[in-house]
Amino acid sequence: MSGPADKPFAISKRLVWEAYERVKANKGAAGVDECSIEDFEKDLRGNLYKIWNRMSSGTYFPPPVKAVEIPKPGGTRILGVPTVADRIAQTVVALTLEPRTESIFHDDSYGYRPRRSALQAVERCRQRCWKKDWVLDLDVQKFFDSVDHALMVKAALRDLRSRPCSPTSSCTMRSTSSSHGNSRPWTSNAMRMMRWCIV
């Protein structure tokens, strides 16, 4: 087996293991490959090595995302379910980007950030409701389905101020979703759209 010294991109095996532990703790359903956490663990050492080897070699490409319809008022919403292996790879990316991107977020940003919660956002609103008599509430419908992906990568690379870790970072950020045999452009989350911007 090749070691870290043979790879063009420095991704530690310890980081991949930490990512696996987080994915396991979050549980979640199987993706398009129908491989559950339990199935993945049947060859845990080999599966984690494949993720590490491909990411550190710059040859990792995300597999299709399983599209699952979930009911919502007035219709349904498509939820993207990545494979277990891809969730681990995404978590490796998130753990690497997190220390760098945290410093550029607005102090009032609470969504999908470490050590922050919706309850903290509510508490901030409670404090401010005594100071202001107006509220601005907005939501960009289907933002991740319609955002300019090339612009997203450009912004991510600019803020990181470093070269991408993999040739795929400058490629299209669109992945493919699979539902009932059909395929279409899909992005499961912001990390998938930024696409492996590690150094």
Side-chain angles (χ1 to χ4, degrees):
M1 288 187 178
S2 58
D6 305 319
K7 303 298 183 181
F9 306 110
I11 299 174
S12 73
K13 293 180 179 179
R14 181 179 295 276
L15 184 64
V16 176
W17 177 262
E18 182 181 348
Y20 152 71
E21 290 187 318
R22 292 198 181 195
V23 169
K24 181 178 180 179
N26 288 336
K27 300 179 181 179
V32 291
D33 59 358
E34 299 299 330
C35 177
S36 65
I37 288 286
E38 292 74 19
D39 295 329
F40 186 88
E41 290 177 328
K42 290 177 182 177
D43 184 18
L44 181 59
R45 181 183 176 88
N47 287 327
L48 292 179
Y49 176 81
K50 287 177 186 176
I51 296 170
W52 170 81
N53 187 43
R54 290 170 184 171
M55 294 189 77
S56 59
S57 299
T59 59
Y60 181 85
F61 286 88
V65 176
K66 185 177 182 179
V68 178
E69 290 187 351
I70 57 174
K72 62 175 297 185
T76 60
R77 175 186 175 189
I78 301 296
L79 178 68
V81 181
T83 63
V84 171
D86 195 33
R87 291 206 297 274
I88 294 172
Q90 288 185 33
T91 305
V92 169
V93 174
L95 290 172
T96 304
L97 294 181
E98 194 173 89
R100 308 176 192 189
T101 55
E102 274 298 295
S103 63
I104 65 175
F105 282 118
H106 194 281
D107 190 51
D108 284 341
S109 172
Y110 291 91
Y112 304 101
R113 293 182 63 188
R115 297 171 296 280
R116 292 194 171 217
S117 68
L119 289 179
Q120 289 175 308
V122 171
E123 173 60 20
R124 182 63 64 92
C125 290
R126 187 189 69 80
Q127 294 169 2
R128 289 181 175 167
C129 73
W130 295 104
K131 301 176 182 179
K132 304 289 184 181
D133 58 0
W134 55 270
V135 173
L136 178 63
D137 182 25
L138 60 90
D139 181 35
V140 180
Q141 186 177 18
K142 297 183 178 179
F143 173 76
F144 290 132
D145 293 337
S146 59
V147 68
D148 185 326
H149 296 169
L151 187 61
M152 176 73 77
V153 164
K154 184 178 180 180
L157 295 181
R158 182 202 65 190
D159 288 325
L160 289 172
R161 292 183 174 85
S162 62
R163 66 182 178 85
C165 108
S166 164
T168 62
S169 63
S170 60
C171 297
T172 176
M173 292 174 293
R174 283 195 181 275
S175 185
T176 301
S177 86
S178 176
S179 176
H180 308 299
N182 298 320
S183 296
R184 60 180 167 176
W186 177 261
T187 52
S188 66
N189 56 31
M191 299 316 303
R192 174 179 293 278
M193 288 189 295
M194 289 195 291
R195 194 80 171 275
W196 319 144
C197 303
I198 322 174
V199 294

